[in-house]
Amino acid sequence: DPDSPIAPVPDSHGTATCPDCRKGMERFGYMESRIVTLDRCLPCHLIWIDDGELEPLVRMTARTTTRDSEQKAANEELARHLSAVVFAGAFG
């Protein structure tokens, strides 16, 4: 169920170091949430996913994709309905 609650992943460390360039990585909330905090290296374009963070990322992405698909289907249905109303009004 994509709408089931997703528990926040405990943040187990402070600042991470990039494994490629050894510079400090920036921290950010995935999808601007406080559910998962990821580390990224801006110079290397590397994103580090810690243990336990992948499943919530997949669930959050699935939730967004499902909602986008449902919204698209609803918009298409509304467009069909409005076209039928306009067509009927023009010839009714």
Side-chain angles (χ1 to χ4, degrees), residues 24-56:
M25 298 178 82
E26 178 183 281
R27 303 173 59 72
F28 70 101
Y30 180 69
M31 298 178 87
E32 298 181 14
S33 75
R34 293 190 174 139
I35 295 173
V36 179
T37 302
L38 300 175
D39 304 293
R40 69 178 161 203
C41 179
L42 296 176
C44 295
H45 305 287
L46 177 93
I47 296 179
W48 191 261
I49 300 173
D50 292 324
D51 187 40
E53 292 177 340
L54 186 58
E55 181 182 344

Side-chain angles (χ1 to χ4, degrees), residues 69-87:
S69 297
E70 290 170 354
Q71 186 63 49
K72 182 179 177 186
N75 289 344
E76 289 171 353
E77 178 62 29
L78 178 60
R80 281 191 296 274
H81 174 72
L82 292 175
S83 294
V85 169
V86 170
F87 183 78

